[in-house]
Amino acid sequence: MVTTLVQQYFSESARRFPAKLAVSCAQDAISYGELESRTNARARELRRRGARRGDFVPLFLKKGVHAIEAILSILKADCTYVPLDTTSPGPRIESILAATRARQVIVDAATEARLREICPSAARLDVVSLDRAPEDPGDPLDYANLSIDVAYVLFTSGSTGTPKGVMISHQMIVDYIEWCVETYALSDRDVLANHAPLYFDNSTFDLYCAFKTGASLHLVHDDLNLIMPKMISWLRERGVTTFFCVPSVMTILLKSGRLAPDSFPALRHVIAAGEVLPPDVVRRWMELYPDIQFTNMYGPTEITVDCTYHVIREKPDPDATAIPIGKPRRNMEVFVRREDGSLSAEPGAEGEIVVRGNSVAYGYLGDPERTRAAFVQNPRHDLFHDPIYCTGDLGRIGPDGSILFVGRRDQQIKYMGNRIELGEIESVLLKIDGVLEGVVVFNDSPVMDEKCIGALVVLAPGTTKRDVAAALQGRLPAYMVPRKIAVATDMPRTPNGKSDRKVAWDLVFAP
Ligand code: AMP
């Protein structure tokens, strides 16, 4: 069957394997057949309650079977799903509800009260709770959507203080998933774990690789995340064969000291993506698990999860400094843009990593200015619309054409897999009463426990560090809140008058 809409992956697997476990999370589990008819009914309910084709429908749900039910139902209603982080502060959620012009939002008993408490605008929305069983019939629906229609919008940190909504179509996901399933030879015999939050695009791999093949998908629930070493026995008990995760998870599991050679008898793929993969971590995993295939994948949300990959065939040397991010996947081209603006994929070339291809996003929802800045015309011609996405990452092409990730050209960081613009934290910091000046800095130590976001502030008389910390907590997601705050009487400056980030870093982290 040729799939044009991603929910058709699920329906086709439900037809082939109705009784098979589709999704589980903690004690909850649902079969393909049951989830298929439940989401058909729920999609009908959404349409009956007023969902129109092309609506953006946010889901305010913790990770669980309900969240997957919401995603499939929204897609089946010919709408676009927008996963929200239920731990985010109200103003951030409000800004997303406003940007998507949401008219419906999906909740359940565990989240409805919080949504109503932190978002006054929820009172004007149709709040659909998944705890009330749908009354509509569960038979298949007809879809009006085309594969170029937007399947999901994921919001990522924005340097000006407003999150950016990346728009990804069905076709972009299908192009990525077809390649993944082929490359990793996934089938209905596989068992996938989903570690990434659903508002992070790494989850795209888990959901749609499972739905396309009819594999079972086990969601790593929040409690398990808090006590990560428990995940080792969980991965074994669930018989997980394919684990896609951020390198931080690999590091934490290794550091727990509980990894044993027989921990994962079923595991055959570990795919690391989303941040720098430390060579030492892979080396130690490879020593423990010589039969598992390890892959480093790279890409920003704006190109649909990953555009390059590197299968790690040899154990990295103890003195290796980096693992390549590899070569482009099918239907994607990756270049570096040199200082003079020209593109190159030739060995030795260095510059900003830019990406062209089938899965490059449409841009940022309702934000043509930031879209124009990041998605530019291919500088090689001006004959037709040919966008390339400028990642802001710096890279170097190695002797065999593999790309090495070198760093960032701006203030974007990765902290425990989360993509964060230090500028977003700064803009929130500067809006706090009593904060006269402030810069946000990041200690990107190779030692995991030392990684830390910090802030240097100049405060008005009467304002304390504690006031600032409390205000930040109320306005930023927990993973963005600076853990170290230092107070200065004057902001250190560079000769041209800008805040001196190097000195600020020393004052915060090495006082
Ligand atoms: P996100 O949009 O959250 O997936 O974050 C994308 C950013 O994460 C990229 O622009 C890189 O800065 C970083 N990133 C993703 N994958 C890798 C990787 N394999 N190695 C180094 N950095 C990565």
Side-chain angles (χ1 to χ4, degrees), residues 4-5 7-8 47 52-55 74-80 142-151 170:
T4 53
L5 301 171
Q7 68 270 24
Q8 290 171 329
R47 287 184 183 179
R52 290 185 306 226
R53 177 179 172 203
D55 276 1
I74 294 167
L75 290 168
K76 288 181 174 189
D78 273 331
C79 297
T80 300
D142 290 327
Y143 304 123
N145 263 353
L146 309 180
S147 56
I148 57 166
D149 284 317
V150 180
H170 289 262

Side-chain angles (χ1 to χ4, degrees), residues 301-377:
T301 307
E302 287 85 340
I303 55 81
T304 316
V305 200
D306 299 302
C307 52
T308 70
Y309 74 114
H310 172 74
V311 179
I312 308 165
R313 304 216 182 268
E314 303 282 323
K315 245 186 314 179
D317 291 334
D319 54 355
T321 52
I323 307 280
I325 55 173
K327 295 188 179 173
R329 73 160 172 90
R330 187 173 67 203
N331 286 337
M332 300 298 275
E333 265 185 301
V334 180
F335 305 96
V336 293
R337 188 166 64 167
R338 292 179 288 216
E339 291 273 301
D340 63 2
S342 62
L343 307 187
S344 175
E346 294 303 314
E350 279 187 41
E352 180 182 6
I353 299 174
V354 301
V355 188
R356 170 173 190 274
N358 288 20
S359 297
V360 170
Y362 290 140
Y364 304 118
L365 181 70
D367 197 341
E369 206 173 306
R370 286 199 286 189
T371 300
R372 269 194 300 275
F375 298 80
V376 306
Q377 171 67 21

Side-chain angles (χ1 to χ4, degrees), residues 156 200-202 272-277 296-302 305 325 391 393 405 408 412 414 417 419:
T156 74
F200 179 20
D201 81 334
N202 270 10
E275 59 187 356
V276 172
L277 176 59
N296 185 18
M297 293 193 77
Y298 157 88
T301 307
E302 287 85 340
V305 200
I325 55 173
T391 64
D393 292 323
F405 175 87
R408 289 287 306 173
Q412 182 180 297
K414 273 290 170 120
R419 169 170 159 180

Side-chain angles (χ1 to χ4, degrees), residues 9-276:
Y9 279 148
F10 191 89
S11 301
E12 176 60 11
S13 290
R15 191 187 60 74
R16 290 168 62 209
F17 314 107
K20 192 173 173 198
L21 174 73
V23 183
S24 92
C25 188
Q27 307 313 320
D28 293 342
I30 190 163
S31 68
Y32 267 96
E34 198 183 340
L35 190 53
E36 171 71 356
S37 62
R38 199 193 284 183
T39 51
N40 286 345
R42 189 70 69 188
R44 287 177 195 281
E45 178 191 355
L46 292 177
R47 287 184 183 179
R48 182 169 47 75
R49 291 171 73 147
R52 290 185 306 226
R53 177 179 172 203
D55 276 1
F56 297 91
V57 183
L59 50 127
F60 189 76
L61 292 163
K62 295 194 168 128
K63 191 186 274 187
V65 171
H66 269 169
I68 306 298
E69 178 187 337
I71 287 174
L72 287 168
S73 306
I74 294 167
L75 290 168
K76 288 181 174 189
D78 273 331
C79 297
T80 300
Y81 68 89
V82 186
L84 299 173
D85 174 3
T86 56
T87 63
S88 259
R92 204 164 200 270
I93 302 287
E94 286 283 23
S95 75
I96 296 176
L97 295 179
T100 55
R101 299 189 191 151
R103 296 184 302 122
Q104 288 181 319
V105 57
I106 304 197
V107 298
D108 65 10
T111 58
E112 180 165 1
R114 178 168 154 79
L115 179 75
R116 292 190 186 278
E117 182 196 329
I118 63 170
C119 292
S121 76
R124 293 193 298 278
L125 303 178
D126 177 25
V127 178
V128 181
S129 174
L130 298 187
D131 289 304
R132 291 183 281 275
E135 288 158 13
D136 302 73
D139 32 56
L141 296 97
D142 290 327
Y143 304 123
N145 263 353
L146 309 180
S147 56
I148 57 166
D149 284 317
V150 180
Y152 65 66
V153 175
L154 294 183
F155 278 81
T156 74
S157 181
S159 57
T160 57
T162 329
K164 298 182 283 195
V166 181
M167 293 178 283
I168 299 293
S169 72
H170 289 262
Q171 193 173 270
M172 294 166 194
I173 304 171
V174 167
D175 199 83
Y176 170 66
I177 294 297
E178 295 291 322
W179 176 86
C180 289
V181 167
E182 226 178 279
T183 303
Y184 297 111
L186 301 174
S187 75
D188 58 294
R189 288 184 301 283
D190 277 295
V191 177
L192 277 75
N194 161 249
H195 178 265
L198 300 173
Y199 52 85
F200 179 20
D201 81 334
N202 270 10
S203 58
T204 305
F205 176 96
D206 310 324
L207 266 60
Y208 298 105
C209 284
F211 299 163
K212 177 182 161 67
T213 56
S216 297
L217 176 67
H218 294 269
L219 309 175
V220 174
H221 56 97
D222 295 345
D223 299 349
L224 206 55
N225 243 340
L226 293 176
I227 320 166
M228 243 196 237
K230 272 196 179 171
M231 211 185 306
I232 298 170
S233 50
W234 181 85
L235 286 165
R236 184 181 41 239
E237 282 154 22
R238 303 277 166 143
V240 170
T241 63
T242 307
F243 189 36
F244 190 99
C245 64
V246 288
S248 297
V249 171
M250 291 173 71
T251 308
I252 293 170
L253 295 182
L254 197 60
K255 274 186 58 181
S256 73
R258 303 209 197 151
L259 286 182
D262 60 353
S263 293
F264 311 116
L267 196 56
R268 58 185 193 98
H269 285 295
V270 173
I271 302 162
E275 59 187 356
V276 172

